[in-house]
Amino acid sequence: MKDFIKIETISEFHQVLGLEKPKHPLISVLRLGDARKNLEVENLKYLPSLYKISLKDNCPYSIVNYGRNSYDFQEGTMIFTAPNQVMEYKKAETTKTDKGWILAFHPDLIRKSPLGQNIEDYSFFSYASNEALHLSEEERKTVTDIVEKIEKEISNNMDTHSQTLIISNVELLLNYCVRFYDRQFYTRTNLNQDIASQFEQFLKDYYNQDKQLELGIPTVQYCGESMNMSPKYLSDLLRKETGKSTQDHIHQYIIEKAKNRLLNSNESASQIAYALGFEYPQYFSKIFKKKTTMSPNEFRKNLN
């Protein structure tokens, strides 16, 4: 049975890595090679209550498990972990040119800032491990430059501007990563194309097999896991390809099925709702009206 280590603070994070005390209580930049002599990572699971952004350039440690998946953390890739995501590592071959870094910060750092209110908008913190960000050389330089500014700010004597500048640079880093993920979605079009049609087929199979009668309406979580993606990543891919989220696609598919049944059967709206997997007919009517501007009964009356 593997040991389990919960990390509540930046200080505890440094302690686990065998490093000296952090220069700031809520944020730290770690050079991955720094911990090499002291870090014993194998056969341990970590649960940090921290946000962590990691870039690998000849990193001496590989991620074995990240969320539910194993992961080959390749050169020039970034991963993003939100608080309370389990991480597991193993040692890898090392070189003298380790350049990787980890930016770790406690939620309290940004809690009172606009970034604290918007952090959930950065959906890549919920991506699965195989959905990492792969950077070009120029992109690596851009993100590393920002991290070095944060590192310098942490190392300086704190003044009234320090907190604002640190948080601003963290937000700048995240916004660049949004841009680079958009580029990755675009440049990997051949890999990601047909996601919408694959998802459409998935929904057809789900209903053809009457899974809705047992499981109800397919959830975003269920759809993502069934297609071997994190729910956030699937939604972002669909949004890039079609302009609609996973939830939008699910509702649109269900409404089209509902329209057909309303016009081609004598079933009541409640019967149709239950047949489509809704637990409550009122919720079906609410979604139907939102999508069509009419209630199910109004739709049937106007189009029959």
Side-chain angles (χ1 to χ4, degrees):
M1 183 175 178
K2 295 182 178 180
D3 294 325
F4 190 88
I5 298 177
K6 187 164 178 62
I7 301 171
E8 299 279 3
T9 65
I10 292 292
S11 292
E12 289 178 2
F13 191 42
H14 273 239
Q15 186 177 4
V16 165
L17 297 178
L19 299 174
E20 61 184 25
K21 292 182 180 180
K23 296 178 180 178
H24 192 290
L26 298 177
I27 186 169
S28 183
V29 176
L30 310 177
R31 302 293 173 169
L32 293 178
D34 293 347
R36 185 189 308 163
K37 289 184 283 189
N38 299 312
L39 180 56
E40 293 295 334
V41 295
E42 293 194 80
N43 298 315
L44 294 174
K45 289 184 177 181
Y46 297 87
L47 185 64
S49 298
L50 308 170
Y51 287 97
K52 293 207 287 89
I53 304 168
S54 308
L55 171 69
K56 176 175 179 178
D57 263 331
N58 292 324
C59 169
Y61 305 102
S62 297
I63 297 175
V64 182
N65 288 304
Y66 166 44
R68 295 181 298 107
N69 299 322
S70 59
Y71 182 45
D72 176 17
F73 192 22
Q74 299 173 348
E75 304 301 320
T77 58
M78 290 183 73
I79 61 168
F80 307 80
T81 56
N84 301 316
Q85 287 182 299
V86 176
M87 305 290 291
E88 186 179 342
Y89 300 86
K90 71 175 181 180
K91 280 195 175 181
E93 292 184 11
T94 63
T95 72
K96 294 182 179 180
T97 57
D98 298 332
K99 302 176 185 176
W101 47 258
I102 297 174
L103 173 66
F105 60 93
H106 195 279
D108 285 352
L109 176 76
I110 61 172
R111 203 174 298 280
K112 295 182 180 180
S113 70
L115 178 58
Q117 304 301 313
N118 302 323
I119 190 70
E120 291 186 1
D121 293 342
Y122 297 96
S123 53
F124 42 73
F125 278 109
S126 298
Y127 286 177
S129 54
N130 59 325
E131 299 153 357
L133 177 59
H134 301 269
L135 301 177
S136 68
E137 184 62 38
E138 184 177 348
E139 290 168 347
R140 271 185 275 181
K141 184 178 186 305
T142 297
V143 297
T144 299
D145 284 349
I146 297 171
V147 168
E148 287 176 350
K149 288 180 181 178
I150 295 172
E151 187 176 31
K152 183 177 180 180
E153 201 60 47
I154 294 169
S155 300
N156 289 341
N157 293 327
M158 302 292 287
D159 59 30
T160 55
H161 303 285
S162 300
Q163 191 85 344
T164 300
L165 290 170
I166 289 170
I167 294 173
S168 295
N169 276 290
V170 171
E171 186 169 16
L172 180 63
L173 173 65
L174 295 176
N175 286 335
Y176 266 107
C177 291
V178 171
R179 168 186 277 182
F180 297 154
Y181 256 118
D182 281 351
R183 184 271 309 154
Q184 180 165 296
F185 285 133
Y186 177 76
T187 57
R188 294 187 168 200
T189 299
N190 290 335
L191 295 175
N192 295 328
Q193 67 183 3
D194 297 330
I195 275 291
S197 60
Q198 290 175 33
F199 187 57
E200 186 79 8
Q201 187 60 52
F202 166 80
L203 291 174
K204 287 179 182 177
D205 292 343
Y206 186 92
Y207 276 90
N208 286 340
Q209 296 166 21
D210 288 331
K211 289 185 178 180
Q212 79 281 7
L213 300 180
E214 178 186 356
L215 303 176
I217 298 170
T219 65
V220 175
Q221 181 80 23
Y222 179 89
C223 294
E225 291 176 354
S226 298
M227 296 187 70
N228 296 315
M229 299 180 192
S230 67
K232 290 280 190 180
Y233 194 76
L234 174 60
S235 272
D236 286 350
L237 274 179
L238 288 171
R239 196 175 278 111
K240 297 296 179 187
E241 194 169 325
T242 68
K244 298 177 182 177
S245 68
T246 306
Q247 190 75 276
D248 291 332
H249 279 272
I250 294 170
H251 286 169
Q252 189 62 46
Y253 181 82
I254 291 171
I255 294 307
E256 291 304 313
K257 289 186 73 68
K259 287 178 180 178
N260 290 335
R261 296 182 80 139
L262 285 165
L263 298 180
N264 294 289
S265 77
N266 293 320
E267 296 173 297
S268 68
S270 293
Q271 288 174 314
I272 291 173
Y274 291 130
L276 291 174
F278 286 88
E279 187 175 359
Y280 303 105
Q282 300 92 328
Y283 183 48
F284 163 65
S285 296
K286 180 180 179 181
I287 292 176
F288 192 94
K289 188 165 187 177
K290 181 179 179 181
K291 294 290 184 182
T292 66
T293 71
M294 292 181 280
S295 71
N297 289 332
E298 287 171 340
F299 178 84
R300 172 178 270 165
K301 181 179 178 181
N302 290 341
L303 273 76
N304 265 334

